[in-house]
Amino acid sequence: MSRFVSAAFCALFMMSFSLTDVNAATGKAVYDANCAACHKDGIMGAPKTGNKPAWAPRIAQGMTVLVDKSIKGYQGKKGMMPAKGGNTKLSNADVKLAVEYIVSLSK
Ligand code: HEC
């Protein structure tokens, strides 16, 4: 039994290394839970994830600006981006991962 347990731990340990991009997985999880409601289909004026022309001028502002505006929220010409997508429990790092995830799909 204990041999099985240590084998299981060993397998888990190895799996955590075989995930090539752990950050991307987390960014996707944050995005799916907190950002997709608006950004997946472009609801309420949100730039749709994967819509490259809509994202190009936004991405051009640079990651620092994008992350900062996502953390604090802002009123833009198209609509209102709520601070942290409305989930203030998210850490700034979580928001950054989600922004990186959106940008990776939209450029
Ligand atoms: C309630 C709807 C809603 C949710 C939820 C939401 N957004 Fe947004 N987001 C918007 C809207 C609307 C805009 C566009 C505002 C404008 O530019 O007029 C926007 C814009 C953005 C931008 C572009 C900022 C810029 O400077 O152009 C980023 C990045 C972004 N959102 C990230 C996120 C992230 C990350 C999440 C999840 C943590 C999220 N959004 C959740 C509505 C939402």
Side-chain angles (χ1 to χ4, degrees), residues 27 39 49 61 94 100:
H39 286 280
T49 307
Q61 301 174 100
D94 285 342
E100 283 167 356

Side-chain angles (χ1 to χ4, degrees), residues 35 38-39 44 58 61 69-70 74 76-79 81:
C35 322
C38 295
H39 286 280
M44 293 176 50
R58 298 179 185 271
Q61 301 174 100
K69 284 160 84 177
S70 302
Y74 76 103
K77 290 195 192 84
K78 301 265 169 109
M81 164 68 204

Side-chain angles (χ1 to χ4, degrees), residues 30-31 34-39 43-47 55 58 61 65-67 69-70 74-82 84-86 90 95 98-99 102-103:
V30 176
Y31 168 80
N34 304 286
C35 322
C38 295
H39 286 280
I43 307 289
M44 293 176 50
W55 278 98
R58 298 179 185 271
Q61 301 174 100
V65 174
L66 287 182
V67 172
K69 284 160 84 177
S70 302
Y74 76 103
Q75 173 70 56
K77 290 195 192 84
K78 301 265 169 109
M80 211 273 285
M81 164 68 204
K84 298 186 173 179
L90 287 177
V95 176
V99 174
I102 295 176
V103 167

Side-chain angles (χ1 to χ4, degrees), residues 12-77:
L12 272 177
F13 189 64
M14 277 156 59
M15 261 166 62
S16 63
F17 278 104
S18 67
L19 286 174
T20 45
D21 197 344
V22 177
N23 283 353
T26 316
K28 182 181 189 305
V30 176
Y31 168 80
D32 284 346
N34 304 286
C35 322
C38 295
H39 286 280
K40 182 169 177 286
D41 295 312
I43 307 289
M44 293 176 50
K48 191 172 163 177
T49 307
N51 181 340
K52 294 175 187 176
W55 278 98
R58 298 179 185 271
I59 292 170
Q61 301 174 100
M63 280 307 284
T64 315
V65 174
L66 287 182
V67 172
D68 194 58
K69 284 160 84 177
S70 302
I71 290 169
K72 293 179 186 147
Y74 76 103
Q75 173 70 56
K77 290 195 192 84

